Each structure stands twice: as structure tokens, then as C-alpha cells.
Amino acid sequence: MPALIATIPIPRDLPLPLPVPEWLLVVCLVVFFLVHILFVNLMVGGSVFVVVAEWMGLKNKRWDALAHEIAQTVTVNKSLAVVMGIGPLLCINLLYTIQWYSANALTGHAWLLIIPLVIVAFLLTYLHKYTWDTWAKGRKKTLHQAIGITAMLLFFFIPVIFLANVNLMLFPSEWEKVRGFFSSLCIGNVLPRYLHFMAASIAMTGLFLAGYFGRKNADISHLDDFTCPELRRLFYKVCAYVTLGQFALGPLVLFTLPSDGITTQVYVIIFSGAAVGLLTLWLLFGELRRDDTRIGSRYWPIAALFSIVVFGMGSGRHVYREAALAGHKAAIKNRTERYAAALADFNKNLAAAPAPAGQSAEQLFMNCAVCHAPNVKLVGPPLTEIAQIYAGNPEGIVTWAKAPGKKRPELPQMPPFNHLGEASLRKIAELMLEKGATSK
Amino acid sequence: MDFPSFYLDHLAGGRLIIGLIASLHVLINHPLAVGAYPLLTWMEWWAHKNNRPDVDHLAYRITFVVFIVTTTVGAMTGVGIWLSTSLFAPFAIGSLLRVFFWGWFLEWLVFISEVALILWWFLSWKKADKPEKKRKHIKIGVALSIMSWLTMALIVAVLGFMMKPGEWNQTRAFWDAMTNPLYLPQLGFRTFFAVMTGAVFLWFSSFFFTKKKGALNPDPRRLREWIIYRLSHVVLISLLGTYAFGTWYWNAVPETMKANSSVALLTQEFMSWHRQFQTLLGWTLIAFLMVGVGGLDRSSMIPRWALLIPTVLSIWLIGHFERAREFMRKPWVIGEYMYSNGVHKDELAFLQSEGLLKHATYVKHREITESNKVECGQDIFMLACSRCHSTTGLNGVIEKLTAMYGPDKPWDSAGMQLFIKGMHQTRTFMPPFPGTDAEAGALVAYLQQLRTHPQTLPGAQSAGIVIAPEALKPSKIADSQPTL
């Protein structure tokens, strides 16, 4: 089956050991990634809430004030999303060096675009936040809304690039088909994963805001017409219904996953996570039925359960990745070892071979032959010309070669050859003069 | 060799992009973070001590600008250096991460604290309305200043040990980098430079915030004079530091270069760079000196545009400085361990004897024949040259070859092949050619073709990848089957 080998690239890994034990990196990857994705969720979901509430605010001012308040959280969460992204990036670079960088390169244009797109999105969120009170009416308000929407759309798009990479790295057998970023989206199940992620963003932001507005020292005096319990109920509701929806999207992701990495273990982890999810949902709907004085008293248990669910999904994801790439990793390891062995053999023989006696004048002269031919001008003047200038003066050639000057305006600069050493240059010079004299 | 080659042909392969991102990052990070935070903290403290709400408010408004820029462009260009290097030199960044993991990790922790502190400092500024709260707030500013300086100090060390010959004991390498003769002068130079440019940035922005009277700004003229007078002191003092450390650096470089490189890197290019650095440093300092002395006069003698002159010069200077750091590393990407094109020092002889094509992953052919010569040459160019040269664009090989061999006569293929075989000897900043004679021949065939039919070379990000079957002895194929 040589055709199979041809389609699955088996590169060599970097010949350096991991700096920390693999299991530690795995733990770090899963945990750091979840922290990162939480802030990303809050940034993306927050931008949606801001846009929706600002739009509702056109009819009723109280929503506008709420939108402004949420906008304050987005700009903080976005900064944390960026810094917290560095840790998991560090881990994934180390654990999946070959797969990750290959996916990056294959989607290179989009990958590079991340930088300007994020910068623009961030600047727009600031502009949106800080012009809230000054661009409050008429045309200016429309512009203001347009800015919010643009930032939101950018926040919608940027995760697609990361998702494309996270997805593509899993399927080396498909790499050969990829022609740029957009074609990479046809591989695996990017769309269901994206929807799952977006829903999680809304749900997580709902949960976050329910806690944010319900916290003990929350000051909502400037949000007239809203009460704390009311806001809490509102955001709980968003969280609850969207999470309910995840019970449709989650299975969609699972069943559209290419079978490469599906193992019983993956199923067990994911379904246990889903079971905890059901429990969480039950608690959430229970909260919604409570009256205003008691709503929110189960906030922390709910948040804790959510963390367990998310941790379960994150681990399931990792187990799938490991299973999907197990064969590829093994093949890479095999090839890397075979190469290292061949290399070591070669270098051993090389070291054992008798050291070449100092290079002969002819060999040394090869350094110069590239540019100096006996009697035609190549890059530099011909040897005949040199022999005329330096007849009986090899030392002059040595001096020149160590630090060449600039004489002939029509020729490029000659590079210095100080590194060959005095003795070698001397040999060269003598040979040069000899050749120059004989090739008239 | 084992990663699909991302390549932007017209932009010197893409190196230019990394360079731009990195320079932008340094240009923001030095004046606005490392330089401005301590100065703004000092303004806040002074205002608190002398009960000058107008000074406090001015500091707040400048901090606003700093906050916006550092948390957007500043942060993302920092991450961007990494993202773009992953594309362009994955072999290098991948190896560096394995070797200097703890350095990067530590860097990350400091960076987290820096971001958290700037958010906290700026967003709680106006909430600190009582003296005890204000005192606490000022402490946040102090912590922020320390952290942002520490980030820089760590980065400089990380960059420093990239130049160190391969010593894999990383803690040792880390300390070695810090005790490298260039580390202290470089760090001192950057620190004072940051404060000096930071002061000019504050000065410049204060023009915009001292135009109109306001409740918190009853006497804009007095405020402007106050700040200009003090900032010119800062400029003059940090100028002395920049001069002292810049000179120390200038004197230390040649020695270090000699000690660090097996081949004499003191080529003409380098020497001319070295002299340019001195000249630029001189002019930049003179420009700052004039501005600083002018500001001492208490009058608003210095117009706003005049501040742009030292600023532009300093951008130039720092760009030059960063480029030199890159240059000094050549032909290595990791000193004495890995060449710029990803070839390891210890595999060079092996590849020269066995061939690049045989061991690469993403190539079209393993055996060179008369009919596939040019295609093979293209792959070889991609593997061996593309990390530094474009084909026909910036720093293009064709342009370089034309300068060598002339535009109007045929190029001698045998001569070119000789040049390629000896390219490290003639141009020490280029790595040795990592392939066989036949491969050098194929490369020449490709270059000749490129000369007559100029064509850009697409990278894996648009053309995708091709994988030739691994060249194995038939008996071995069976056990190399990947079990997927």
C-alpha cells in the first residue's frame, strides 16, 4: 500500500526531548485552555449581549444603560483572553509540534490575519465603549451601533481561524488536499464545533452576568428600572435555555466527528459530562422558579457544576485528539528514531575516518575560484590581471583578501576571507600567482 | 524540512513581516510601557503629595492613551511575533520552546501580572478618591512599572541565549545569557532609552490635554509648563544613561562577536552596521539634548512638531538595533545548533552526503533526473534558501546573482554550482549548502530557469503540499507502514 504512505505525511519530530514530563503538559494544556476559552467565551458572548441590548435600547432606554454596563466587562475579558491564551499555546506547541505548526502553515494567510483582526476588533470595542455617551443620538447612534456590530462580527470570525487549526491538526491524512484556509474548513466537522462554541459563549456569558449583576456589592444604581433579581433571572434564563440547546448541538458535534479518534473512553467521558450537565440544568431551572428574594442562592454550586461539565468536555476532547493522532504520533516517532540512528551511524563513521590532512592549496583555492577564473572576468578580475598587480608579492594578496578594498567601480564588493587564516591565504596567494603567470 | 513551507515570495519570504511586527512591538513597548508607567506613577504620586488635582487628571488622561494602545496593538504584536514565527520558522520556535521552556513560562506569568495590573490601575484610578485609597492606588502603579520592566529584562535574556552556543542545561544557559557581556549594556541601554522616549511621549501628549480649561484643569498654561520643565530633566538624565550604556554596548559588541562565532563574522556588512549605529546614536542623542535643554527654559519654546524629530530618529535607531541583533545571529537561528534554514549543525555532513531530497518530507521527487531537475531545484530552493531569500522580490536570489554575474551575459552554470557549494565560505552569514552535488546542480537549473522565466514561488498556505513516498529499501516498507 505505498499509496497510503504517500498521502499521510510522516515528518520527523524535532530531535529534542520535552522540557517537562508529558503528563504535566497535558494537564496544563487542558486546564490553561479552559481558562483561556472561558474568557474568550465571555468576550464573544459579551459582544453579542451588548449589540442586542443596545438595539433594544432604541425603544427603551433602560436596555441601553444595561448594554453600556456589559460593554465594560467585554474590554476587560478580552485582555484576559489574550494573555491567558499564551499558556495553552505554549503547551500545544510542545505536545503537538508537528501537527500544530503544519496546520498553521497550511492555513497561513488566515493565521497571520489573526493579528490585525484582533487588533482592529479590540480597538473597535474600546471605541464603542468610550463613545457611548457622546455618540448617543441620531446618525451618531447608528454609527455607534455599527461599530458594535462590526466588532461582534470580527469576534465571530476570529475563532473560526483557531478552530480550523485545532481541527486540521487532527487529520494529517487530509493535509494533502488542503489549498489554503477556506478549503481547510471542509475537513472534519468545523461547523458543528463552531456552533457548539458559539452557544457555549452565550451560555457562559449569561451565567457570568447573572453572577456579576447579582453579586453582593453590585452597584446598579445607574441602571434605573432594573433590579438585581430581575437581571439575575434574565441572565439565568439565557444561560438555561441555551444550555438546553447544547443537548442538541453537543451530540451533533460528537456524531459528526470523523471516526478516527472515537473510542469507548471518549464516549464515557463525554456522556458523564453530559450527565453532570443535566444535573446542572435541573438546578438552573430550579433557581428560575424561586422568588426574587432567594434567586441566586445556588449560584456557586451551579457555577461549580458547570466547571465540571466543561472540564469533562475538555478532557473528552483531549482523549479524542490523542486517539485520533495515536497512529500518526507513533509513525513520527518511528521515523524520527530511524533517522537519528542513521545520522548517529554516519557521524560515528565520519569521526572514525582519518582526519583529512590540511587542505591542499588547490582545495583552498576553490574558495576563490568561484569568482576568479584564469583568464576571463567572472565576478572578480581574472588571475592574469591579479598576477600582474601582485607579481612577486603574495603577501599583498593575503592582505587584500583579509580586508578587501573597493577598486573597480563596475564590480561588486569582494567579501573578506580573514577566517581562512594567514597560512591558508598564503598558500592560496602563491598558487594564484603561479596560475596567473602560466595562463597567459 | 518537516513542516509545510509557509512562504510569501514578494516579501523576502515573510521575514519582513516578522520584522515589522517585532519592531512595532518594541516601539510601543519601550516608550509606552517600560518608559511611561514609572513616569505616570511618579506624576500621580507628586500630585497626591502636593495636592494638585490637575496633574493627577493629566496623568490619568495620558494613561488612558497608554492603556488603549498597550492592551491592543502592544499586546497583540507581542503575541504576533510568536504567531508569525510559528509560520515562518516553526523548526526554530519549536526548538526554542523545548530548550528554554522555563524562561518563556516565567515570562508568561510576569506578563499576566502586567496585564492584570494595568487593567486594575487604570480602571480603578477615579475610584481612588480618599487619601488612603490613593496611596494604595499609587502602589499598583509602582508594581506595574516593576513588572513591565521585568518583562523586558526577561525577554532580553531569552533573546540573549538564543545566540548562545548550544548548551542544553537551560538554567545554566539562562544565567549565561544574563552574564553575557552584552546583556547588561543592552538592558541598560533599553531601560534608559525607554524612559527617555517615554518622557517625550508624555510631553507630546500633554500638548493635546492642556489646550482647554476644565474643571480639573483651571490653568492649562501652568500645567503645561510644569510638565515640560520636569520632563526635560527626565530626558536629560536618561540621555546620559542612554549614552553611557549605548557606548558600552558599542564597545562590547566586536569582542563578543569574536568570542561567539567560529567563523569571523566581522564582515564588512557588520562593520558598516556597527559604524552606522554609532552615528545614529549620536544624532538621536543630540536631538534629544536640544529638546531637553529647550524644555528647561520653562517657556513653551519647543513647538509640538519639534518633538517628532527625536522621535523619528529614535524609531530609526531602535530599528537598526533590532536588525543588528538578527544579523549577528546569522547564519544560525540558534547559535551553533541550528542554521536559519532549519538544518542542524550535526546533520549537515549527513545531508551533504545523502541528499536533502531523500530525507525531506514535503518534496515532489526523491531522485533527480534530467526531466524533473527544475522541479527538484525548486524544492531545494524552498528548503535551503527560502528562509532568507525570495525568488524575484526583496532580497531575491536572482537580483543577488545578477549583481554577481552581470545582467546581460549568460551565467556559467558550473561557476554557480561552485558558488553554491562554497557559499558559506564566501559569505559567512549564509549557511553551508546542505545537499549533494547533484542537488546543487538541480538548484542551478532552477535558478537559470527562474532567470529566464521569472515566476513567484507559492507557499504551502496557497499551493498546499506534495509528499513523495519515503525513499526506503523495499524490505523496509512493510514495517514502516503507519498504523492509522
Side-chain angles (χ1 to χ4, degrees):
Chain A
M1 283 194 312
L4 183 69
I5 313 179
T7 50
I8 303 173
I10 311 291
R12 279 172 282 136
D13 198 359
L14 299 171
L16 289 170
L18 289 179
V20 267
E22 189 170 341
W23 64 265
L24 188 61
L25 280 175
V26 170
V27 173
C28 289
L29 175 62
V30 172
V31 173
F32 292 160
F33 178 74
L34 290 178
V35 175
H36 163 64
I37 207 69
L38 173 69
F39 286 111
V40 173
N41 281 333
L42 298 183
M43 166 182 92
V44 175
S47 73
V48 179
F49 281 80
V50 170
V51 165
V52 173
E54 188 179 15
W55 176 70
M56 288 166 74
L58 292 180
K59 292 216 183 65
N60 183 341
K61 270 284 158 210
R62 69 175 192 151
W63 291 103
D64 196 83
L66 181 65
H68 192 184
E69 183 71 23
I70 300 173
Q72 321 274 343
T73 67
V74 175
T75 48
V76 173
N77 288 329
K78 70 112 183 69
S79 278
L80 296 175
V82 169
V83 271
M84 300 316 292
I86 295 176
L89 199 58
L90 208 78
C91 298
I92 203 161
N93 274 265
L94 287 168
L95 280 170
Y96 301 101
T97 311
I98 293 290
Q99 292 87 358
W100 180 249
Y101 291 132
S102 302
N104 293 171
L106 289 172
T107 61
H109 286 303
W111 182 254
L112 206 55
L113 262 184
I114 291 174
I115 304 158
L117 288 182
V118 173
I119 291 178
V120 171
F122 283 8
L123 286 171
L124 288 177
T125 51
Y126 279 130
L127 185 66
H128 193 237
K129 172 173 145 184
Y130 288 110
T131 53
W132 206 286
D133 296 324
T134 40
W135 296 0
K137 287 201 191 62
R139 282 249 190 87
K140 282 202 167 156
K141 185 67 179 173
T142 315
L143 176 66
H144 188 253
Q145 282 181 296
I147 291 169
I149 291 172
T150 314
M152 178 185 79
L153 291 177
L154 284 173
F155 283 142
F156 281 9
F157 179 65
I158 295 159
V160 182
I161 305 179
F162 282 100
L163 249 177
N165 275 274
V166 170
N167 175 69
L168 184 59
M169 68 175 271
L170 293 177
F171 311 113
S173 56
E174 308 285 314
W175 290 353
E176 213 176 12
K177 296 180 198 149
V178 177
R179 297 286 177 278
F181 167 68
F182 288 106
S183 72
S184 77
L185 298 179
C186 311
I187 289 163
N189 63 344
V190 179
L191 183 69
R193 283 176 85 159
Y194 180 64
L195 295 176
H196 196 45
F197 159 80
M198 289 306 283
S201 294
I202 306 285
M204 279 306 159
T205 313
L207 186 68
F208 163 70
L209 290 175
Y212 183 74
F213 288 114
R215 71 192 196 279
K216 269 209 199 69
N217 52 354
D219 171 21
I220 60 160
S221 49
H222 52 291
L223 297 178
D224 19 300
D225 307 337
F226 277 115
T227 63
C228 272
E230 185 186 3
L231 285 173
R232 184 161 250 186
R233 189 177 303 277
L234 171 73
F235 289 116
Y236 260 153
K237 232 184 227 166
V238 175
C239 176
Y241 283 103
V242 176
T243 305
L244 194 61
Q246 292 286 48
F247 280 86
L249 288 173
L252 182 69
V253 173
L254 190 58
F255 298 128
T256 53
L257 268 180
S259 58
D260 311 34
I262 298 283
T263 60
T264 354
Q265 211 189 355
V266 174
Y267 274 126
V268 170
I269 296 177
I270 298 280
F271 283 120
S272 324
V276 183
L278 271 181
L279 178 67
T280 321
L281 209 53
W282 177 72
L283 272 184
L284 248 178
F285 278 105
E287 281 272 273
L288 283 175
R289 277 196 301 277
R290 288 160 176 248
D291 60 28
D292 277 2
T293 51
R294 284 171 54 233
I295 190 166
S297 52
R298 294 240 177 99
Y299 185 78
W300 287 113
I302 291 177
L305 280 178
F306 254 115
S307 315
I308 296 176
V309 177
V310 172
F311 185 73
M313 298 299 160
S315 313
R317 192 168 169 275
H318 179 75
V319 173
Y320 175 82
R321 182 163 53 210
E322 275 297 299
L325 288 176
H328 196 232
K329 283 174 90 170
I332 289 179
K333 187 157 177 270
N334 174 292
R335 173 148 186 236
T336 312
E337 282 166 0
R338 272 187 293 129
Y339 181 79
L343 179 62
D345 257 3
F346 178 89
N347 281 340
K348 210 169 84 194
N349 290 339
L350 195 68
Q359 285 185 306
S360 71
E362 279 291 344
Q363 282 168 327
L364 284 166
F365 176 67
M366 291 319 275
N367 283 310
C368 324
V370 191
C371 300
H372 298 289
N375 41 24
V376 290
K377 188 151 92 179
L378 283 181
V379 181
L383 298 183
T384 43
E385 188 180 327
I386 292 177
Q388 264 169 19
I389 304 175
Y390 292 99
N393 177 19
E395 221 22 72
I397 297 185
V398 173
T399 317
W400 165 274
K402 282 203 282 194
K406 187 88 192 88
K407 268 193 185 170
R408 301 166 183 75
E410 78 284 3
L411 293 180
Q413 172 77 47
M414 175 179 141
F417 283 87
N418 208 1
H419 53 277
L420 292 183
E422 187 92 19
S424 302
L425 283 176
R426 178 78 196 207
K427 278 196 216 164
I428 295 175
E430 275 156 13
L431 185 69
M432 234 180 184
L433 289 179
E434 196 185 308
K435 282 185 185 243
T438 52
S439 54
K440 285 260 158 71
Chain B
M1 217 189 287
D2 295 291
F3 300 93
S5 297
F6 173 88
Y7 190 51
L8 294 170
D9 197 356
H10 29 284
L11 295 173
R15 219 181 40 196
L16 192 69
I17 298 209
I18 304 183
L20 282 179
I21 296 175
S23 309
L24 192 60
H25 182 69
V26 170
L27 287 174
I28 289 174
N29 178 272
H30 282 11
L32 269 69
V34 180
Y37 292 148
L39 292 174
L40 290 164
T41 309
W42 166 75
M43 277 172 79
E44 191 192 11
W45 169 81
W46 195 89
H48 172 65
K49 206 179 99 194
N50 297 291
N51 195 22
R52 280 281 294 273
D54 59 335
V55 172
D56 185 80
H57 188 61
L58 178 64
Y60 174 72
R61 294 180 74 178
I62 299 177
T63 306
F64 174 71
V65 178
V66 171
F67 169 74
I68 299 281
V69 177
T70 51
T71 58
T72 56
V73 192
M76 275 315 290
T77 45
V79 179
I81 298 176
W82 191 2
L83 296 186
S84 53
T85 316
S86 314
L87 284 180
F88 192 67
F91 43 81
I93 189 98
S95 305
L96 286 172
L97 284 180
R98 293 190 187 193
V99 176
F100 303 128
F101 175 77
W102 291 110
W104 297 78
F105 192 78
L106 197 65
E107 223 286 302
W108 180 46
L109 297 184
V110 178
F111 184 46
I112 295 179
S113 69
E114 189 187 337
V115 169
L117 285 167
I118 176 71
L119 289 169
W120 190 15
W121 194 46
F122 175 69
L123 296 173
S124 66
W125 193 304
K126 289 290 169 180
K127 289 179 193 143
D129 41 10
K130 295 192 200 68
E132 63 275 18
K133 277 197 186 164
K134 195 71 187 166
R135 273 195 292 278
K136 192 177 147 208
H137 189 258
I138 293 169
K139 282 192 191 130
I140 306 175
V142 174
L144 173 62
S145 309
I146 294 174
M147 283 305 173
S148 77
W149 183 82
L150 213 55
T151 315
M152 181 179 78
L154 279 173
I155 292 253
V156 174
V158 171
L159 294 177
F161 53 44
M162 278 169 73
M163 291 213 248
K164 280 257 96 164
E167 291 172 53
W168 298 141
N169 179 340
Q170 42 170 309
T171 42
R172 207 176 80 217
F174 196 81
W175 288 117
D176 272 357
M178 292 219 177
T179 50
N180 179 314
L182 285 186
Y183 181 70
L184 275 184
Q186 208 190 137
L187 186 62
F189 172 71
R190 284 179 194 265
T191 306
F192 282 103
F193 179 81
V195 175
M196 182 171 77
T197 48
V200 171
F201 166 74
L202 256 62
W203 185 338
F204 188 66
S205 32
S206 66
F207 277 105
F208 296 90
F209 297 129
T210 53
K211 272 197 202 145
K212 285 192 291 238
K213 270 193 189 181
L216 282 166
N217 184 11
D219 187 355
R221 245 194 95 84
R222 174 171 167 235
L223 179 58
R224 191 186 307 174
E225 275 171 14
W226 179 88
I227 183 141
I228 291 182
Y229 181 67
R230 273 149 190 91
L231 286 178
S232 51
H233 281 84
V234 176
V235 169
L236 290 174
I237 291 170
S238 44
L239 189 147
L240 286 180
T242 312
Y243 173 74
F245 281 99
T247 312
W248 182 5
Y249 176 76
W250 196 77
N251 288 326
V253 162
E255 279 310 307
T256 321
M257 294 292 302
K258 272 185 220 142
N260 267 9
S261 58
S262 52
V263 283
L265 267 170
L266 290 167
T267 54
Q268 278 143 354
E269 276 90 338
F270 181 74
M271 289 318 288
S272 84
W273 167 83
H274 197 54
R275 279 187 296 272
Q276 277 167 22
F277 174 76
Q278 196 191 29
T279 321
L280 255 176
L281 181 68
W283 282 112
T284 312
L285 291 181
I286 289 172
F288 277 99
L289 184 71
M290 306 213 342
V291 165
V293 171
L296 280 183
D297 186 18
R298 277 184 195 248
S299 73
S300 309
M301 196 180 96
I302 304 286
R304 201 183 314 173
W305 59 263
L307 295 178
L308 293 176
I309 298 173
T311 309
V312 168
L313 274 174
S314 62
I315 288 176
W316 195 356
L317 176 68
I318 215 72
H320 197 70
F321 183 72
E322 298 293 329
R323 250 194 36 226
R325 227 196 45 234
E326 275 297 303
F327 185 87
M328 285 199 274
R329 220 169 52 220
K330 278 179 187 148
W332 305 106
V333 65
I334 304 173
E336 295 290 324
Y337 174 71
M338 184 189 263
Y339 291 107
S340 300
N341 51 12
V343 171
H344 290 86
K345 182 185 182 184
D346 72 348
E347 64 184 356
L348 184 70
F350 181 62
L351 291 176
Q352 281 172 340
S353 126
E354 299 236 318
L356 256 185
L357 293 178
K358 180 176 169 195
H359 292 287
T361 304
Y362 301 106
V363 290
K364 295 183 203 74
H365 313 281
R366 303 267 171 216
E367 300 287 341
I368 300 173
T369 63
E370 217 27 67
S371 59
N372 71 15
K373 215 171 167 181
V374 173
E375 279 192 339
C376 287
Q378 189 183 51
D379 281 337
I380 292 165
F381 177 84
M382 192 61 116
L383 294 172
C385 323
S386 72
R387 300 302 99 180
C388 302
H389 290 288
S390 70
T391 53
T392 49
L394 268 174
N395 200 24
V397 256
I398 295 302
E399 179 201 313
K400 299 286 159 216
L401 287 166
T402 309
M404 268 175 72
Y405 294 116
D408 35 44
K409 43 181 188 181
W411 297 344
D412 171 34
S413 286
M416 284 168 74
Q417 195 168 335
L418 263 182
F419 170 82
I420 287 171
K421 291 295 290 176
M423 66 190 212
H424 177 62
Q425 291 307 318
T426 33
R427 293 302 213 183
T428 48
F429 43 79
M430 279 205 264
F433 179 70
T436 60
D437 286 346
E439 287 174 339
L443 177 56
V444 170
Y446 169 67
L447 294 174
Q448 293 280 21
Q449 149 117 358
L450 196 61
R451 182 187 184 202
T452 46
H453 304 89
Q455 204 179 19
T456 52
L457 176 57
Q461 77 278 19
S462 43
I465 47 175
V466 180
I467 307 144
E470 201 181 336
L472 288 176
K473 292 186 195 78
S475 66
K476 280 204 179 158
I477 290 185
D479 55 60
S480 76
Q481 286 286 326
T483 46
L484 281 170

